[in-house]
Amino acid sequence: MPQFSNYINGQWVPSQAGSTFDNINPADQRDVIGSFPLSAAADVDAAAQAAAEAFTSWRLVPAPKRGEILRRAGDIFERRKEELAAIMTREMGKTLTETRGDIQEAIDTAYYAATEGRRLFGMNAPSELANKMNLSFRMPIGVCGIITAWNFPIAVPSWKILPALVCGNTVVFKPSEDAPHSGNIFAEILEEAGVPPGVFNVVHGAVDCGKAIVDHPAIHVVGFTGSTATGKAIAARCGELNKKVSLEMGGKNAQIVMDDANLELALEGVLWGAFGTTGQRCTATSRLILHHAIHDEFVDRLVMAAAKLVLGPGLTNPRAQVGPVINQRQLDKILTYVDVGRSEASLVAGGSRATDGELANGFFMQPTIFTGVQRTARIFQEEIFGPVLSVSVCSSYDEAVSLANDCAYGLSSSIYTNDVNAAFRAVRDLEAGITYVNAPTIGAEAHMPFGGIKGTGNGHREGGWTVFDIFTEWKSVYIDYSGKLQRAQIDN
Ligand code: UN1
C-alpha cells in the first residue's frame, strides 16, 4: 500500500511516532488509496518552527514576486487538473465534473491572489498637524494554521492558503483526514511553483493534530472550515490564547419558490443545490420553502426528477450525478436523521442506503425528500450534510422569509420569483451571508466575499478582497517632516 508523508520544511517526512491512518475510496471501501501520517504535537511543532523560521525571509519578498509564484501555482493547477480531479474523486467521491470545478476555484483564487500581490492597497489620511504624513499598510501576521474539511479538498484550502501566502504569511496546513492526498498535491504544486521550504507545510492527522495547531504558540492565526461544534471549540481556545480565528461552519440553506417563479428553473436549481455534491456542501440546499399555490405540482415534479438522478462512482461511471457520502460515520448520521424525519414529516423520496450493483461497496445514499416539515422539526433546524431535503409550505412572501430565517445558521439563501419587488426584498430580508435570486444556494464565485452570519461564521469573509482582512494586520505609520516636536491632540 502506498505510504504518504507530511511535508515539513520542504521535505517529505513520516510522523515522528510513526503512526498512520488509511485513506479509503468512499465509492468502494475495498480501494485503499494509501496510509498517511497520524501526526501529533511533535510533528506540528516541527512544521510550526519551520514556518516561523521561513517567515523571517518570506515576509521580505516583495508582494508582487510572491504573487508571481502563486500565478505559476495557478498554471500548474491548470496543467494537473485532470490528474488531480481523479485523485480527488477517488478519495472523497464527488463526480469528476465537480472535482474539476473544485480545482477551477483554486485556479481562480491563485490568479486573484497573484494580482493582489500588486495591490494589497493601504490607505492614507491627512494628518491633523502640518508637515506630517499618515499612512497605513497591510502587514503579514506570521504563521497561519489552516484546518479544512474534505468536501472541497482543493478549493477551500486555496481560499485560505493562497491569500495568506501572498500577504507574506507562512502556513501549517492540516487537510481533512478524509481527503489527505489532495493536500499533498497542493504541496507538490506550491513547491514546483517556487514556494520556498518552510513557507508551506502539510501535517496530516486527526483531532489531536488540529488541537496542536490551534495551541501552538508560533501560530498566530487559525483559519477553519468544518462543523459548528468543532469551530466553536476552536474559537473558545483561540479566545483564551488571544489568537485571530476565522471560522466557516455549518449551514441549513433554504431555497424559496414563490408562486410566480419559473418552476422549471426552480426545479433544476433545487436538484443541483440539494443533491449536487451529494448534499455535502456547507452551501447545499437543505430546506425548500414552497408557496402553497405551486407546492403539490412542484413536489410531484421534484420527486420524479430526484428518482432519475444517477448514483454512482464518479471515477468509473461517467453518467454518475450523485457520488457516495464520505464515510460510514456520516452515512450512519444521515440514516439517523432519516429516522428522525420519519417521525416529524412525510418521506416522499429515498430514505435508504443504495447498494445495487456498482454501489454495493460504497457509502451511497438515495436522494431523500421530506414534505410537511414544520419549523420546529429537527430536520428543519439541524445540519445533516447529506442528500436530504426538507420541504415546507408557506402562504406569502413574509411567511417564506420568516421560515427561511428561523434557523441557527446563516450561510446561503435563495429565492425563485419573477416579481422584481419580492426579489429585492429578499436580498434585503434573508438573514444569510449569501443570497441568490433565481439561482440555487450553491455556486459562490472565488472573487466574491464568502461566509455566513449567525451559527455559520464569526464575522470574517473568505474570497475576493475581504479575505485579506483575515491574513493581515493594519499598521499605521506617521512621518513627521517638520523638524520639530509636534504634539498631537490635547498635548498641544
Ligand atoms: C463549501 O461547501 O465548503 O458555493 C464550499 C459553493 C462552492 C463552495 C462551497 N463554490 O457551493
Side-chain angles (χ1 to χ4, degrees):
M1 182 189 358
Q3 309 274 318
F4 292 87
S5 300
N6 289 330
Y7 179 73
I8 297 176
N9 209 13
Q11 305 290 318
W12 294 98
V13 291
S15 70
Q16 293 185 22
S19 319
T20 60
F21 64 93
D22 289 349
N23 180 18
I24 65 160
N25 178 347
D28 183 350
Q29 302 174 60
R30 297 164 306 179
D31 177 24
V32 183
I33 292 146
S35 77
F36 286 76
L38 188 65
S39 309
D43 305 293
V44 169
D45 185 47
Q49 283 190 32
E53 173 59 29
F55 178 64
T56 59
S57 46
W58 181 247
R59 74 185 185 90
L60 300 178
V61 174
K65 292 263 179 273
R66 295 192 295 251
E68 274 173 36
I69 293 175
L70 297 181
R71 180 181 49 71
R72 282 201 292 279
D75 293 343
I76 303 166
F77 272 116
E78 180 77 57
R79 191 187 82 220
R80 296 187 66 178
K81 195 174 193 178
E82 282 308 303
E83 172 212 349
L84 178 49
I87 287 171
M88 214 191 306
T89 295
R90 184 174 171 208
E91 72 174 345
M92 57 69 67
K94 64 187 177 188
T95 63
L96 285 171
T97 313
E98 291 200 31
T99 48
R100 286 185 198 112
D102 190 313
I103 298 159
Q104 188 59 46
E105 286 196 39
I107 296 167
D108 297 339
T109 303
Y111 293 153
Y112 191 102
T115 57
E116 192 63 25
R118 291 190 179 271
R119 287 188 295 267
L120 283 177
F121 294 138
M123 291 208 266
N124 55 55
S127 170
E128 60 191 49
L129 295 169
N131 299 317
K132 191 178 168 206
M133 184 181 286
N134 295 358
L135 310 169
S136 68
F137 297 89
R138 286 189 182 279
M139 306 298 282
I141 303 176
V143 185
C144 306
I146 305 295
I147 303 171
T148 54
W150 46 267
N151 61 334
F152 276 81
I154 293 289
V156 167
S158 82
W159 295 354
K160 305 175 197 295
I161 292 164
L162 304 179
L165 292 179
V166 81
C167 293
N169 302 289
T170 57
V171 169
V172 174
F173 170 40
K174 187 191 100 57
S176 162
E177 56 270 49
D178 283 307
H181 195 183
S182 301
N184 280 15
I185 307 291
F186 212 113
E188 286 177 20
I189 288 176
L190 291 185
E191 182 180 87
E192 186 186 338
V195 171
V199 169
F200 177 68
N201 305 274
V202 179
V203 185
H204 294 287
V207 179
D208 288 348
C209 177
K211 280 189 173 155
I213 289 177
V214 173
D215 281 353
H216 199 285
I219 294 179
H220 300 302
V221 191
V222 176
F224 169 78
T225 295
S227 74
T228 297
T230 306
K232 281 184 173 170
I234 289 176
R237 186 68 183 133
C238 287
E240 279 169 11
L241 297 170
N242 193 29
K243 289 190 187 187
K244 193 170 186 181
V245 57
S246 160
L247 304 170
E248 289 303 335
M249 303 179 286
K252 191 72 188 174
N253 314 292
Q255 173 179 319
I256 297 169
V257 184
M258 298 302 292
D259 53 349
D260 54 37
N262 175 335
L263 296 190
E264 197 52 44
L265 195 65
L267 181 64
E268 266 186 298
V270 71
L271 282 171
W272 175 225
F275 304 123
T277 326
T278 320
Q280 301 172 112
R281 293 194 191 205
C282 53
T283 51
T285 310
S286 50
R287 295 182 295 149
L288 178 66
I289 299 168
L290 298 177
H291 192 277
H292 69 83
I294 50 96
H295 176 276
D296 294 355
E297 179 196 346
F298 197 89
V299 167
D300 287 348
R301 287 165 70 175
L302 176 61
V303 167
M304 267 184 335
K308 288 195 189 123
L309 290 170
V310 179
L311 273 66
L315 268 192
T316 49
N317 183 348
R319 290 180 54 246
Q321 294 167 294
V322 181
V325 301
I326 189 67
N327 54 34
Q328 182 72 52
R329 200 175 61 252
Q330 191 55 25
L331 182 65
D332 291 344
K333 179 180 169 194
I334 295 167
L335 290 168
T336 303
Y337 268 109
V338 170
D339 284 343
V340 170
R342 282 177 200 274
S343 68
E344 295 177 326
S346 308
L347 179 70
V348 294
S352 306
R353 182 177 186 171
T355 51
D356 292 349
E358 63 181 358
L359 311 181
N361 296 299
F363 306 116
F364 289 91
M365 175 74 204
Q366 294 172 335
T368 298
I369 302 170
F370 287 98
T371 56
V373 181
Q374 303 300 314
R375 60 173 81 214
T376 49
R378 285 184 62 196
I379 60 165
F380 184 95
Q381 293 289 346
E382 297 174 22
E383 186 179 45
I384 300 172
F385 222 66
V388 181
L389 179 67
S390 297
V391 184
S392 307
V393 64
C394 68
S395 53
S396 64
Y397 166 85
D398 286 335
E399 194 186 0
V401 169
S402 143
L403 281 161
N405 289 345
D406 190 356
C407 162
Y409 298 101
L411 180 54
S412 189
S413 55
S414 151
I415 185 165
Y416 280 76
T417 178
N418 281 329
D419 174 350
V420 69
N421 295 334
F424 277 91
R425 287 174 68 194
V427 167
R428 182 194 61 195
D429 296 339
L430 286 171
E431 293 170 1
I434 305 170
T435 294
Y436 291 89
V437 175
N438 292 329
T441 60
I442 68 175
E445 300 178 26
H447 61 290
M448 288 284 286
F450 182 92
I453 61 172
K454 302 201 278 192
T456 296
N458 67 334
H460 294 285
R461 290 292 181 275
E462 299 181 324
W465 56 96
T466 42
V467 66
F468 300 100
D469 293 332
I470 301 172
F471 294 109
T472 56
E473 294 274 15
W474 284 100
K475 170 169 291 193
S476 297
V477 177
Y478 299 98
I479 301 169
D480 190 320
Y481 51 95
S482 68
K484 58 184 185 198
L485 173 65
Q486 301 198 87
R487 299 190 182 96
Q489 295 112 21
I490 57 168
D491 301 335
N492 271 314

